[in-house]
Amino acid sequence: MFCMGAIILEAQDLSLAPDEVGALLEVATQLGKKGWNRNMQLCNDTILPTEPDADNKVVCNCSFPGGACHVVAIYLKRQDLDGTLPKAIEKLPHLKHLDLWANYLSGKIPSEWANTKLEYLSIGVNNLAGKIPSYLGRITTLSYLNIQNNMFSGTVPPELGGLVNLENLDLWANYLSGNIPSEWANTKLEILSIGVNHLTGKIPSYLGNITTLRALTLSANNLTGELPPALINLTGLKELRLSSNNFTGRIPDFIQSWKQLDTLEIQAGGFTGPIPSSISLLTNLTDLKISNLLGDGSEFPNLESIAGIKYLLLSNCNLSGNFPIELTRMAQLKIL
Ligand SMILES: *[C@@H]1O[C@H](CO)[C@@H](O)[C@H](O)[C@H]1NC(C)=O
Ligand SMILES: *[C@@H]1O[C@H](CO)[C@@H](O)[C@H](O)[C@H]1NC(C)=O
Ligand SMILES: *[C@@H]1O[C@H](CO)[C@@H](O)[C@H](O)[C@H]1NC(C)=O
Ligand SMILES: *[C@@H]1O[C@H](CO)[C@@H](O)[C@H](O)[C@H]1NC(C)=O
Ligand SMILES: *[C@@H]1O[C@H](CO)[C@@H](O)[C@H](O)[C@H]1NC(C)=O
Ligand SMILES: *[C@@H]1O[C@H](CO)[C@@H](O)[C@H](O)[C@H]1NC(C)=O
Ligand SMILES: *[C@@H]1O[C@H](CO)[C@@H](O)[C@H](O)[C@H]1NC(C)=O
């Protein structure tokens, strides 16, 4: 009896507020997570990492007044969970990180989530469907939102533009349609990925005002029109992916303002030749992929000045002139 008491006492030293134990077990039930029970130590850690650093971990903060612990992060990546998104996280008021990456979760995003104070939310690589709900736009604490590789359809809700702290938004590989919303102008996005969807319409000019952007991925949609001149102002851009779209016009000369660019992908973008000679001013390029530039031919671009280029693909581009010797030093070179 004494031993039993001692064990329970020790467990309580790091123990959760009792209502959060109940909430955590509800979360487990909704997710289809087996193995947790009321009598075990459910907190693995008391230090909240800046990004998830484990696949299977619950982090609790035990520095609250009164000594009670509260759940601040749940990481359950690649755990074969086949339930639904847990509406019970609403009962964990201190939860900041939720990472359910790569499970078999299905259903919709629960409306209860609108009341959370999440900062990091990853539900990518699951079987989630339905519309991206507008109430996600109410979780204004979010800085990271990843819903890639699901089956979300419908339009991207303009309300996501209300996520004023959002830095990283990943909607890659869903069935989203409609235009790129025009309401993201006031965000501080650094990484925006909406590739592999069914988006139509033009690239909105206001994207040029989001000067925090470092990576922009629009590949594999049905986007049309020319690249808006306002994009000249994205001087911090490091990665730009525009492949597999229906753009028109030329690749503009102003690409030279993207001095930090290391990755440029414009395969089958719909653009017309030639390759602008100003590409030689993008001295930080490591990956350059251009294919299917329609129409007018180009001289082989002079890439002598781009010392660090590692991957070059120039295929089906109607290139003329002499094959430049310096191209032979590329690690991976494809010119078809
Ligand atoms: C966290 O605790 C659970 C339950 O005891 C355990 O299954 C899991 O492996 C632990 N995770 C880590 C990263 O220690
Ligand atoms: C834990 O909570 C306390 C009180 O709210 C806060 O001051 C502290 O920064 C938190 N620690 C972590 C690692 O989140
Ligand atoms: C683009 O539009 C065409 C014609 O409407 C359609 O056949 C095609 O599937 C669309 N592609 C994408 C990636 O949405
Ligand atoms: C581009 O648009 C044409 C019709 O204007 C369509 O047939 C084609 O599938 C589109 N291309 C892509 C890559 O979606
Ligand atoms: C780039 O930004 C400057 C300063 O905000 C602005 O005056 C200019 O019109 C912008 N350029 C384009 C092409 O939109
Ligand atoms: C290029 O990359 C280097 C090293 O990563 C960096 O210091 C520099 O600021 C970048 N930009 C330009 C224009 O060289
Ligand atoms: C290739 O470019 C030349 C002009 O440089 C043009 O005359 C020719 O029609 C182009 N070929 C194709 C297949 O577009």
Side-chain angles (χ1 to χ4, degrees):
M1 275 309 282
F2 179 77
C3 268
M4 282 291 282
I7 289 165
I8 290 167
L9 202 65
E10 199 178 313
Q12 277 171 350
D13 281 342
L14 246 178
S15 75
L16 274 171
D19 50 338
E20 293 203 17
V21 174
L24 211 44
L25 295 177
E26 259 186 78
V27 167
T29 304
Q30 288 160 7
L31 287 169
K33 164 103 185 78
K34 309 227 164 32
W36 284 356
N37 66 61
R38 197 169 283 280
N39 300 316
M40 67 199 283
Q41 177 60 262
L42 291 167
C43 300
N44 299 79
D45 205 341
T46 54
I47 306 209
L48 183 67
T50 47
E51 284 183 18
D53 60 355
D55 284 5
N56 179 2
K57 181 159 125 173
V58 174
V59 183
C60 301
N61 180 343
C62 299
S63 309
F64 284 88
C69 303
H70 296 285
V71 177
V72 290
I74 300 173
Y75 309 128
L76 289 170
K77 298 190 271 181
R78 295 179 268 262
Q79 300 299 307
D80 292 331
L81 304 175
D82 61 2
T84 55
L85 295 180
K87 49 177 183 267
I89 63 159
E90 160 187 55
K91 300 177 184 169
L92 299 170
H94 301 276
L95 189 68
K96 291 184 171 158
H97 294 188
L98 178 61
D99 193 342
L100 302 172
W101 176 265
N103 284 292
Y104 302 93
L105 301 169
S106 57
K108 296 179 195 265
I109 297 177
S111 58
E112 287 81 357
W113 285 17
N115 307 322
T116 63
K117 297 274 182 294
L118 287 171
E119 294 169 11
Y120 185 105
L121 174 58
S122 169
I123 49 176
V125 193
N126 276 290
N127 298 329
L128 304 166
K131 288 189 154 202
I132 300 176
S134 57
Y135 46 74
L136 260 191
R138 304 219 310 258
I139 316 178
T140 51
T141 40
L142 277 178
S143 68
Y144 180 99
L145 174 59
N146 189 329
I147 69 166
Q148 70 158 268
N149 281 286
N150 278 289
M151 296 178 292
F152 287 106
S153 57
T155 55
V156 182
E159 286 83 357
L160 291 191
L163 297 174
V164 289
N165 290 303
L166 200 61
E167 293 173 358
N168 189 328
L169 175 59
D170 195 337
L171 308 177
W172 171 271
N174 280 283
Y175 299 97
L176 301 169
S177 56
N179 296 347
I180 299 175
S182 55
E183 286 81 3
W184 292 348
N186 298 320
T187 62
K188 287 180 288 196
L189 282 170
E190 293 174 14
I191 301 175
L192 174 59
S193 171
I194 44 183
V196 194
N197 277 291
H198 299 301
L199 298 174
T200 49
K202 297 182 177 179
I203 298 182
S205 287
Y206 80 82
L207 278 190
N209 298 343
I210 309 180
T211 50
T212 42
L213 270 179
R214 287 185 286 113
L216 178 61
T217 300
L218 304 174
S219 312
N221 279 292
N222 256 342
L223 297 170
T224 51
E226 303 202 359
L227 289 192
L231 297 187
I232 195 172
N233 277 334
L234 295 180
T235 50
L237 210 54
K238 283 174 171 294
E239 297 171 24
L240 180 62
R241 298 184 179 85
L242 302 171
S243 300
S244 301
N245 273 292
N246 253 342
F247 293 118
T248 48
R250 294 185 167 185
I251 300 169
D253 258 333
F254 70 67
I255 63 169
Q256 63 179 285
S257 68
W258 302 328
K259 297 265 186 285
Q260 312 290 331
L261 208 64
D262 59 47
T263 301
L264 179 59
E265 294 182 7
I266 10 183
Q267 299 179 69
F271 296 106
T272 326
I275 298 171
S277 58
S278 66
I279 208 157
S280 64
L281 300 172
L282 299 180
T283 50
N284 267 12
L285 273 183
T286 56
D287 287 34
L288 175 61
K289 298 178 187 170
I290 304 180
S291 82
N292 300 70
L293 274 191
L294 311 169
D296 283 349
S298 314
E299 289 284 313
F300 269 106
N302 181 352
L303 303 175
E304 193 91 56
S305 51
I306 310 179
I309 199 157
K310 287 196 295 245
Y311 192 96
L312 176 68
L313 177 141
L314 296 170
S315 69
N316 206 8
C317 280
N318 192 11
L319 295 165
S320 62
N322 290 326
F323 183 82
I325 296 299
E326 89 269 10
L327 291 185
T328 57
R329 71 182 156 79
M330 307 293 163
Q332 296 197 58
L333 173 66
K334 274 195 206 166
I335 299 176
L336 307 169

